[in-house]
Amino acid sequence: MNKVLLIDDDVELVGMFQEYLAQEGFDVATAHDGETGAAAALTGLYAIAILDVMMPRMNGLETLRRIRAVSQMPILMLTARGDDTDRIVGLELGADDYVTKPCTPRELTARIRAILRRTQATPDTGNGPLMVGQLSMWPDQRRAAWAGVPLDLTSTEFNLLEVLARNAGKPVSKNILSEQGLGRPMARFDRNIDVHMSSLRHKLGAIADGRSCLQTVYRLGYQLIRE
């Protein structure tokens, strides 16, 4: 499914992105305010939404919050260059990734493809689930559970958790998590992985001794602990 929803009040920029994405094989719909964009996103017709932070009436962060209250569809945020606060808040609210503006249509297209590749992939996982302690994952169905209780994960959180689960008991570097979980190299001063790991810690349970099953390994990365 290559239907993309582009939510941005910059009509000229939207037109440029729409034309380029159409040439790349995407079916693009647009919305120019947050309320209209959120309503369109929740129809279930789109594989991914591209959401600008700065919009009138209802800004991108509030639009993201409204979508995430109901849906875990992949969302790529457009943020102003140097505005770290909006990026971090967006990731904490459940955005899958972000692109800083101004950006080229080629960069935006590459980031969309990276997210969709990870979201829509159906790996060969065998007949049973991927299990680590109380964690169970079904990568082909994009489902996960802790102690039998379903986990409400964004697409990026699922990707990152799968990478950690497949390497359980070993530290995984942020670079590898970014490349395998987000589909792109980690940029300098990129806090994306840290924010997603913080969210995962709140969603996952503890191991027998009360510690989080997701541990930071100093200078090495993150590790999912085997019980």
Side-chain angles (χ1 to χ4, degrees):
M1 184 165 122
N2 288 321
K3 284 182 172 288
V4 174
L5 176 63
L6 183 53
I7 310 170
D8 193 320
D9 65 317
D10 187 333
V11 176
E12 184 176 350
L13 182 66
V14 165
M16 179 181 67
F17 284 154
Q18 185 177 23
E19 182 178 353
Y20 188 90
L21 288 168
Q23 292 173 355
E24 294 294 311
F26 292 97
D27 181 2
V28 184
T30 63
H32 298 297
D33 65 83
E35 292 181 358
T36 304
L42 295 178
T43 62
L45 297 175
Y46 302 98
I48 187 171
I50 316 303
L51 178 58
D52 184 36
V53 170
M54 298 299 294
M55 289 189 295
R57 295 170 55 188
M58 186 167 74
N59 67 30
L61 296 177
E62 183 56 36
T63 303
L64 172 63
R65 186 180 286 109
R66 184 173 295 188
I67 295 171
R68 276 289 172 261
V70 181
S71 170
Q72 293 298 335
M73 73 180 298
I75 297 177
L76 178 64
M77 298 291 293
L78 297 174
T79 65
R81 190 174 299 280
D83 199 339
D84 292 335
T85 300
D86 280 345
R87 285 183 215 147
I88 292 171
V89 172
L91 292 171
E92 289 175 340
L93 290 174
D96 291 278
D97 204 353
Y98 61 81
V99 176
T100 55
K101 296 169 69 175
C103 64
T104 65
R106 183 177 181 181
E107 179 185 3
L108 181 66
T109 302
R111 199 65 64 85
I112 291 170
R113 283 192 168 132
I115 293 174
L116 293 181
R117 214 165 27 239
R118 294 295 303 171
T119 304
Q120 299 174 351
T122 306
D124 182 8
T125 58
N127 295 323
L130 175 61
M131 302 188 70
V132 180
Q134 297 294 309
L135 175 67
S136 302
M137 300 188 75
W138 294 264
D140 54 337
Q141 301 173 32
R142 306 287 295 177
R143 290 195 299 116
W146 181 271
V149 179
L151 293 171
D152 186 17
L153 304 176
T154 68
S155 62
T156 293
E157 288 169 355
F158 188 96
N159 297 341
L160 293 170
L161 185 57
E162 182 184 353
V163 175
L164 290 167
R166 293 189 183 282
N167 294 275
K170 301 183 294 183
V172 183
S173 72
K174 293 181 185 178
N175 285 328
I176 290 177
L177 285 168
S178 185
E179 289 174 356
Q180 296 185 11
L182 276 67
R184 63 174 177 85
M186 188 175 73
R188 192 179 182 188
F189 306 123
D190 190 346
R191 292 193 57 195
N192 201 327
I193 297 297
D194 296 321
V195 177
H196 286 306
M197 291 298 111
S198 176
S199 178
L200 279 171
R201 277 200 181 98
H202 285 92
K203 294 180 179 182
L204 297 173
I207 57 177
D209 61 8
R211 290 181 299 157
S212 168
C213 65
L214 182 54
Q215 294 289 312
T216 302
V217 183
Y218 182 61
R219 291 188 175 180
L220 293 178
Y222 290 94
Q223 176 179 326
L224 189 65
I225 296 177
R226 290 185 180 276
E227 293 187 70

